[in-house]
Amino acid sequence: MTITKTHRDVLGASALRPDGVAKVQGDFSFSSDLHAENMLWGATLRSPHPYARIISIDLSGAWKIAGVECVITADDVPGQLTYGLISEDQPVFAKDVVRYMGEPIAAVAADHPETCRRALAAIKVEYEILEPLTDPERAIDGSHPDIHPDGNIIRHQRIVSGDITATAPIVVEGTYDIGMQDQAFLGTESALALPDHDGSGIEVFVATQWLHEDRKQMAKCLGLPEEKVRLVLGGVGGAFGAREDISLQVHTALLALRTGRPVKMQYGREESFFGHVHRHPAQIWMRHHATEDGRIVKIEARMVFDGGAYSSTSSAVLINGVTHTQGPYQCPNAVVDGYATRTNNPPCGAMRGFGVVQACFAHEGQMDKLAVATGIDEVEIRLRNIIHTGDTMITGQVLESVAPVERCIRETAALPLPAEMSSHPHELDLPGGSGRTADRRHIVRGIGWGVSMKNLMYSEGFDDYSTARCTLTNGKVELKFATSEVGQGFVTLAPQIARSILGVDDVTYDTIDTQIGSAGSTSASRQTWMSGGAVDGACRLVRERLFEHVGALHGVDPLRLGIDDTDIIDTIGDFRISVQEACADLSISETFEYHHRPTEDLDENGQGNCHVAFAFVAHRAVVDVDIELGLVKVVQIATAQDVGRVLNPMSVVGQIEGGIAQGLGLAVMEEIIVKDGKVRNPSFTDYLLPTALDAPQVLISMIEEPDPQAPMGAKGVGEAPCISVTPAIVAAIRNAIGKPIDRCPVRPQDICF
Amino acid sequence: MPVFIPSSLSEATSLLAEHPTAHLITGGTDFMVEVNFNHRHPETVISLRKIPDMQLWNIDKASGVVFIGASVPYATMEQGELADALPALAEAARTVGSPQIRAAGSIGGNLGTCSPAGDSLPVLAALNASVHLRSSDAERTLPFSEFMIGPKRNAKKPDEVITGVSIPMTNGWQGYAKVGVRNAMVISVASVCLAIHDKTVRVALGSVGPTIIRCSDAESWINSQDITAIDDSVAVEFGNRVSQESRPIDDHRSTAEYRRHAVGVLATRLLQRGTNA
Ligand SMILES: Cc1cc2nc3c(=O)[nH]c(=O)nc-3n(C[C@H](O)[C@H](O)[C@H](O)COP(=O)(O)OP(=O)(O)OC[C@H]3O[C@@H](n4cnc5c(N)ncnc54)[C@H](O)[C@@H]3O)c2cc1C
């Protein structure tokens, strides 16, 4: 047998995004570009108060405005009045009480967005303002009356493992605060709903992370059977967790069903800040006990994640937080107490890193404190404690994933440090950038480290399977899946998989919609593994049938057949035929459902095999700090990431660079500022995202140790880049300024005072 | 909604006389944001972008005064002859927004909005600039210090158009520095312009008070020193005095304490840059 070298866009190649050119040239149709004949516009009335009783709602003013076709409130919801990803505790429209600033109260449909705006202004809501619960500690201590029938604690979870009386000579502790970050996707929420002619069902085009979950929740609230609600993915302009929850889906559909006309809804930037959940702000206390040579003996921790008004995914975020207390380190004994609280602050839920970001900020701060207390270098202290495959974690679960933590650290350390700052640096390279605030002599350089471990896929008994269909017709492949493409590149990867397995170049994919089984959510670093596994499985089934056909026709045992580039070959003989020739006039279609291995709930002591798999990463940050003004320029991030196997190098680089930018944002600028339950900066003027001038040089080493549990050996790469980069940057700032900082984002005043 | 696009200044001022409630627009980079946020409901708009006189600028070496038409965008001030004549204005212009904003945003618009965070304004204050105003039947010129009268408030009358600014050049160093919590495209948290003319230091602060603040006490203190030999302790003392003249507030962008501190640090550094140059 001879193997042919190929330059096709198969697995391992940097295949280009099929939508790349259109996106760069502005031709790509995002969900906000959707349009239908005879379309109405929808808009939402929201509460200006974080906590208030609704005394009355007077809609008459809105109905009187010419062009207004429909005004709806909670009274118009035909099905279930509440929805939610884990617990259905969030009203479609607030009825008697509003629990956060921005909570929807009514929606209108009208001929023009401006008519909608006037209609909203004409709705009179009388409120009795209540004292908001804004301090999560008061949710825990019970000193504030319940703000929701389900109580003020969304979840409490302890972990007790090993000998909790164990002590050790070195003890370090700290309290860490993590600010509320926003996903800040650029394409705001939008949807277009088209009612069926007879009003019995609806088709909704929407930018979402999980079509089937949206459909499930929408059908319940609309009082329709699921098959009467058909969802199609609208072009998604970023997600990062913010499109896991329902936002405008039910409202848009309801307006369309009521009016019998297509309705489009689209949030503006300010509304978007109120329309989706954010990353949980958290306060985490940790105390590490270690031997004099720096080995962790016990970790005590208390974590408070503020979930805001509704539960969203808070309970799962909390579980990720507490189960990642130890980070990528061994820990024989642990006592962890975690709370997800309910307050009148903005609801929080999924965001890239999902609870692990917060835990990691704390455990990495602790590792640095341990380094200082033991006099051991910050890299060495981490190496001494690293976790290995086969180790038991604080949940009692044995780590089965490939765990190249040592390589992550050593390969990061081996990446070159940036050159020292020249004596006459370019002014834009200094902290303060275009503001020209500093001169060379005001700048001090610092280096910091962060290492993390992140679970992949959903946890705690959840079977988040994925479905895909592969159809081979006349030498062409068409794939079908409901996997949301949010920019991560599954639409690039899926055809690569088919090309590799089937030896066919012409691979397309059908519309992404609910006309096939669920793909699960595009989150939790899971789609390469899960939907990749489903496409891989479906293509393999098709290949099996193709080999049976070819084997029978040419008298070769199908088990001996294999694919070499674009040919089918006898792997132990001379037979060879091109795939194109072999499948002329043939049509084979197979559907495959990929399930990950089952997991378990945690018990009351936090014990259980709750996670599927893990990925690891190390980050080294180099920063320049203007200590007197408290301004920072991140100069370089070096990272070695455990990716299992690289399926598309360019995609992996994109995820790593993007994740680093997002983690940098949390480290030095991104924060939703909430005061008395009110968001103070719902705009891109004041919610600052890193610009090109804030982005560092990024050096990447991809560690390829294929994971035998992963369908193609590849681990998810989406979340790992944004987790330990934040503590690494903050550690570098601490290193530069020589004083403790235990909060992020780091503000100028945290540095200079 | 009618939008008038006059091609001369006199046409513009008579349109404004005819339509006293009309809103003026130049680059629209403040205006359109306000419209989008429903903070402004224009019924008639007069665009000043196509008026040649307002796009002019000129450097009069003899009198030492630079005239900049109100519609001149930041992109023109950032580099080239204007930048050589007024380096502090160029530095301020380079900090404004993004390239797109600098291509559209104008000095007239910055004066029209008159935000304490407006980046050209501390420069106009430190350089003793004057603002030219014109209505259909009158013309007048105000020193910048009389033009800006409060946060987003100026002395322009409703029937007046800002036609441009006259900025005397300095025979000494001038510079601008601005703190924001990101390295580009950010609203000023605190900013300082320092200029030296005839060996006399002038300093103006942005974002630390209801208007741009000229630090008269700090100026007279430093001008009583020998500014040809500024040592570190004098520069720091100058910064402290500048700090004391700031009147910042706490808001979601920063704290009063930090702003007060930051203008002091910037003033010290600018003085050092200016006197070591
Ligand atoms: C993304 C973004 C970033 C920004 N960044 C900065 C920044 O870093 N620094 C900064 O200072 N500003 C910034 N701005 C604000 C804005 O760009 C500036 O204030 C700019 O100078 C406004 O000029 P313009 O020509 O666009 O004004 P317009 O928006 O056209 O007008 C602004 C106001 O001035 C009035 N006006 C305009 N021209 C005249 C005239 N000739 N006579 C009388 N009144 C007039 C208008 O009626 C209006 O009230 C930013 C804006 C945006 C959108």
Side-chain angles (χ1 to χ4, degrees):
Chain A
M1 167 180 110
T2 51
I3 296 292
T4 322
K5 269 246 178 300
T6 184
H7 298 288
R8 298 162 55 226
D9 280 340
V10 290
L11 290 176
S14 279
L16 299 180
R17 297 187 61 93
D19 55 5
V21 170
K23 279 181 172 165
V24 170
Q25 295 187 340
D27 293 334
F28 182 80
S29 169
F30 288 96
S31 59
S32 51
D33 297 319
L34 292 164
H35 186 85
E37 279 294 297
N38 200 27
M39 174 180 99
L40 294 170
W41 292 84
T44 316
L45 180 72
R46 295 174 181 276
S47 166
H49 307 296
Y51 193 32
R53 216 181 309 286
I54 298 175
I55 310 285
S56 64
I57 305 177
D58 177 2
L59 305 175
S60 57
W63 279 113
K64 277 185 210 134
I65 293 172
V68 172
E69 299 290 334
C70 189
V71 187
I72 53 173
T73 65
D75 294 337
D76 301 289
V77 177
Q80 190 170 289
L81 298 179
T82 55
Y83 64 87
L85 276 165
I86 297 177
S87 126
E88 293 163 332
D89 67 345
Q90 182 156 3
V92 175
F93 291 111
K95 193 171 165 57
D96 303 317
V97 58
V98 287
R99 298 189 180 86
Y100 72 96
M101 178 189 182
E103 181 159 2
I105 294 169
V108 300
D111 56 3
H112 191 277
E114 179 59 21
T115 317
C116 289
R117 193 191 62 74
R118 289 187 189 146
L120 295 182
I123 297 174
K124 302 247 169 311
V125 185
E126 203 186 323
Y127 298 97
E128 176 196 341
I129 294 172
L130 302 171
E131 181 67 31
L133 168 55
T134 56
D135 177 1
E137 289 298 340
R138 293 197 60 203
I140 296 170
D141 68 22
S143 65
H144 193 284
D146 283 354
I147 60 166
H148 188 283
D150 294 352
N152 292 346
I153 293 178
I154 295 168
R155 183 163 177 178
H156 174 216
Q157 179 67 54
R158 276 169 70 72
I159 295 179
V160 180
S161 93
D163 172 10
I164 63 168
T165 64
T167 55
I170 307 286
V171 178
V172 292
E173 69 177 276
T175 300
Y176 302 87
D177 287 292
I178 297 94
M180 184 187 288
Q181 190 179 18
D182 191 66
Q183 299 85 350
F185 44 51
L186 293 188
T188 57
E189 291 83 350
S190 57
L192 174 67
L194 305 157
D196 292 351
H197 292 300
D198 60 1
S200 70
I202 191 150
E203 184 164 61
V204 184
F205 291 76
V206 62
T208 178
Q209 289 177 240
W210 190 356
L211 292 164
H212 286 75
E213 176 63 27
D214 279 9
R215 176 171 75 165
K216 187 178 99 194
Q217 296 183 49
M218 288 169 70
K220 275 193 190 177
C221 297
L222 297 172
L224 291 174
E226 280 190 25
E227 61 275 14
K228 288 289 179 190
V229 180
R230 298 180 309 281
L231 262 65
V232 185
L233 188 69
V236 184
F240 312 109
R243 295 189 212 270
E244 271 206 337
D245 292 77
I246 291 284
S247 56
L248 43 59
Q249 285 87 332
V250 182
H251 301 156
T252 316
L254 205 48
L255 289 168
L257 286 166
R258 273 305 185 91
T259 56
R261 287 172 64 176
V263 173
K264 174 170 172 172
M265 236 197 217
Q266 184 187 343
Y267 293 171
R269 179 58 57 195
E270 179 172 348
E271 185 171 21
S272 180
F273 274 98
F274 297 99
H276 62 249
V277 298
H278 315 291
R279 190 192 294 293
H280 289 74
Q283 185 167 74
I284 299 177
W285 168 85
M286 279 192 187
R287 181 151 65 201
H288 280 52
H289 303 250
T291 59
E292 263 149 14
D293 62 350
R295 282 170 221 282
I296 297 169
V297 172
K298 184 172 79 173
I299 303 176
E300 297 166 274
R302 180 176 184 271
M303 302 191 177
V304 179
F305 284 76
D306 185 11
Y310 296 105
S311 62
S312 178
T313 47
S314 284
S315 63
V317 170
L318 175 72
I319 268 0
N320 264 16
V322 294
T323 58
H324 287 75
T325 300
Q326 70 196 100
Y329 310 110
Q330 297 172 34
C331 172
N333 310 295
V335 195
V336 185
D337 208 12
Y339 292 91
T341 57
R342 187 193 303 276
T343 62
N344 296 114
N345 292 322
C348 292
M351 182 172 173
R352 196 178 196 176
F354 204 79
V356 182
V357 165
Q358 294 90 331
C360 178
F361 186 70
H363 69 60
E364 287 308 275
Q366 288 290 97
M367 294 311 282
D368 286 345
K369 288 190 175 143
L370 210 52
V372 172
T374 54
I376 300 168
D377 151 77
E378 76 257 75
V379 174
E380 177 57 26
I381 192 93
R382 287 172 166 88
L383 285 170
R384 277 191 198 177
N385 285 287
I386 52 175
I387 199 162
H388 301 97
T389 306
D391 286 345
T392 302
M393 296 175 283
I394 60 174
T395 52
Q397 179 168 7
V398 172
L399 176 63
E400 287 179 26
S401 296
V402 169
V405 190
E406 180 168 352
R407 279 189 66 191
C408 288
I409 297 175
R410 291 201 189 281
E411 292 195 17
T412 300
L415 292 167
L417 283 162
E420 286 206 3
M421 185 183 279
S422 73
S423 52
H424 293 285
H426 191 282
E427 59 195 51
L428 292 181
D429 289 337
L430 293 167
S434 64
R436 297 204 67 212
T437 46
D439 297 303
R440 171 72 185 86
R441 65 201 159 89
H442 303 121
I443 307 306
V444 182
R445 184 160 280 189
I447 300 183
W449 277 83
V451 188
S452 59
M453 157 170 181
K454 172 71 186 47
N455 62 318
L456 309 173
M457 281 70 78
Y458 281 27
S459 303
E460 281 200 295
F462 199 88
D463 180 19
D464 49 314
Y465 67 92
S466 181
T467 320
R469 184 165 66 233
C470 171
T471 306
L472 174 66
T473 316
N474 294 330
K476 293 182 179 167
V477 170
E478 189 183 63
L479 301 170
K480 173 86 185 175
F481 42 78
T483 309
S484 275
E485 171 61 42
V486 304
Q488 86 278 24
F490 190 70
V491 294
T492 319
L493 178 66
Q496 286 182 269
I497 297 171
R499 285 185 205 109
S500 283
I501 294 177
L502 290 165
V504 169
D505 280 327
D506 190 341
V507 184
T508 56
Y509 55 92
D510 191 24
T511 306
I512 299 171
D513 59 23
T514 48
Q515 305 294 312
I516 184 172
S518 176
S521 174
T522 297
S523 62
S525 303
R526 60 179 288 290
Q527 289 297 22
T528 293
W529 187 307
M530 299 300 300
S531 289
V535 169
D536 178 71
C539 291
R540 281 174 195 280
L541 289 176
V542 168
R543 187 176 65 184
E544 224 172 278
R545 288 188 43 202
L546 175 64
F547 287 174
E548 280 163 16
H549 168 82
V550 170
L553 209 65
H554 298 277
V556 191
D557 179 355
L559 293 178
R560 289 171 47 166
L561 295 177
I563 296 281
D564 174 35
D565 201 19
T566 53
D567 291 344
I568 298 171
I569 54 164
D570 180 349
T571 52
I572 47 174
D574 292 334
F575 172 75
R576 176 183 284 267
I577 183 173
S578 80
V579 174
Q580 290 304 312
E581 191 185 336
C583 61
D585 298 326
L586 199 68
S587 180
I588 310 173
S589 186
E590 291 288 347
T591 302
F592 187 81
E593 228 175 59
Y594 180 88
H595 295 254
H596 60 66
R597 62 165 186 181
T599 58
E600 307 166 353
D601 280 343
L602 292 180
D603 67 16
E604 72 275 15
N605 286 323
Q607 300 298 296
N609 295 317
C610 70
H611 294 308
V612 179
F614 297 90
F616 305 84
V617 64
H619 291 100
R620 183 192 65 205
V622 177
V623 303
D624 283 341
V625 185
D626 176 343
I627 299 181
E628 223 182 343
L629 283 175
L631 300 179
V632 176
K633 163 92 185 173
V634 181
V635 176
Q636 184 202 61
I637 300 293
T639 181
Q641 185 171 328
D642 154 40
V643 300
R645 182 180 158 210
V646 179
L647 304 181
N648 181 321
M650 188 160 57
S651 275
V652 175
V653 167
Q655 288 295 317
I656 291 176
E657 291 182 346
I660 283 171
Q662 208 156 22
L664 180 152
L666 178 60
V668 295
M669 63 182 85
E670 286 187 46
E671 183 172 15
I672 294 188
I673 296 165
V674 181
K675 197 155 178 272
D676 305 323
K678 296 195 171 187
V679 175
R680 302 291 306 277
N681 55 340
S683 72
F684 281 169
T685 307
D686 287 319
Y687 182 88
L688 298 181
L689 295 165
T691 66
L693 208 50
D694 300 284
Q697 177 194 35
V698 174
L699 303 180
I700 301 169
S701 167
M702 299 177 200
I703 296 178
E704 292 196 76
E705 292 189 16
D707 196 299
Q709 292 185 13
M712 294 165 286
K715 292 182 174 181
V717 301
E719 290 171 288
C722 80
I723 299 172
S724 40
V725 66
T726 305
I729 291 169
V730 176
I733 296 172
R734 280 195 295 258
N735 175 251
I737 71 177
K739 71 173 206 194
I741 293 184
D742 289 341
R743 76 102 62 193
C744 66
V746 179
R747 300 159 298 196
Q749 59 266 34
D750 299 324
I751 295 173
C752 68
F753 293 136
Chain B
M1 178 183 74
V3 177
F4 295 101
I5 310 178
S7 53
S8 74
L9 200 44
S10 53
E11 196 189 336
T13 49
S14 26
L15 278 166
L16 191 53
E18 264 171 64
H19 306 275
T21 60
H23 293 226
L24 302 175
I25 185 172
T26 302
T29 59
D30 277 322
F31 185 97
M32 289 311 298
V33 175
E34 289 169 34
V35 170
N36 288 341
F37 275 107
N38 263 305
H39 297 156
R40 183 195 277 271
H41 305 274
E43 273 165 15
T44 308
V45 174
I46 300 173
S47 166
L48 303 172
R49 249 188 135 169
K50 294 271 149 71
I51 300 173
D53 283 355
M54 292 177 68
Q55 294 162 347
L56 294 176
W57 53 270
N58 99 81
I59 301 167
D60 185 345
K61 293 239 165 70
S63 65
V65 175
V66 178
F67 171 81
I68 302 180
S71 301
V72 171
Y74 295 107
T76 308
M77 303 171 225
E78 273 180 65
Q79 55 198 3
E81 279 181 73
L82 266 182
D84 295 339
L86 300 169
L89 187 64
E91 287 174 4
R94 288 181 209 126
T95 75
V96 174
S98 57
Q100 294 90 328
I101 297 296
R102 297 197 290 275
S106 65
I107 197 161
N110 216 220
L111 283 162
T113 299
C114 238
S115 158
D119 280 307
S120 73
L121 308 184
V123 180
L124 299 182
L127 296 184
N128 292 338
S130 39
V131 181
H132 305 294
L133 299 158
R134 190 162 142 185
S135 66
S136 58
D137 52 14
E139 238 179 299
R140 61 183 181 133
T141 296
L142 287 177
F144 175 79
S145 57
E146 287 170 33
F147 177 79
M148 184 173 189
I149 55 179
K152 301 207 168 175
R153 287 197 305 136
N154 60 40
K156 185 184 88 66
K157 294 186 195 135
D159 66 344
E160 284 176 326
V161 169
I162 302 163
T163 57
V165 287
S166 288
I167 311 174
M169 291 188 277
T170 55
N171 53 20
W173 187 88
Q174 52 176 260
Y176 181 75
K178 155 180 168 182
V179 170
V181 189
R182 130 171 118 183
N183 289 315
M185 211 169 102
V186 66
I187 292 189
S188 156
V189 153
S191 67
V192 177
C193 179
L194 186 140
I196 303 175
H197 184 65
D198 288 346
K199 301 209 162 43
T200 306
V201 175
R202 304 184 212 137
V203 64
L205 317 180
S207 294
V208 288
T211 60
I212 302 304
I213 294 173
R214 268 291 287 266
C215 303
S216 43
D217 292 350
E219 284 180 16
S220 41
W221 181 80
I222 192 67
N223 291 327
S224 68
Q225 314 288 310
D226 174 10
I227 69 149
T228 55
I230 298 286
D231 65 18
D232 284 354
S233 65
V234 170
V236 169
E237 174 59 21
F238 173 66
N240 290 341
R241 286 171 184 259
V242 165
S243 259
Q244 281 162 23
E245 283 182 75
S246 68
R247 287 186 283 145
I249 52 162
D250 280 331
D251 66 14
H252 56 278
R253 288 187 191 136
S254 189
T255 64
E257 186 191 17
Y258 176 76
R259 288 181 157 119
R260 194 173 297 117
H261 166 78
V263 285
V265 172
L266 293 180
T268 300
R269 291 181 181 180
L270 288 179
L271 183 66
Q272 287 168 332
R273 272 183 207 165
T275 51
N276 298 339

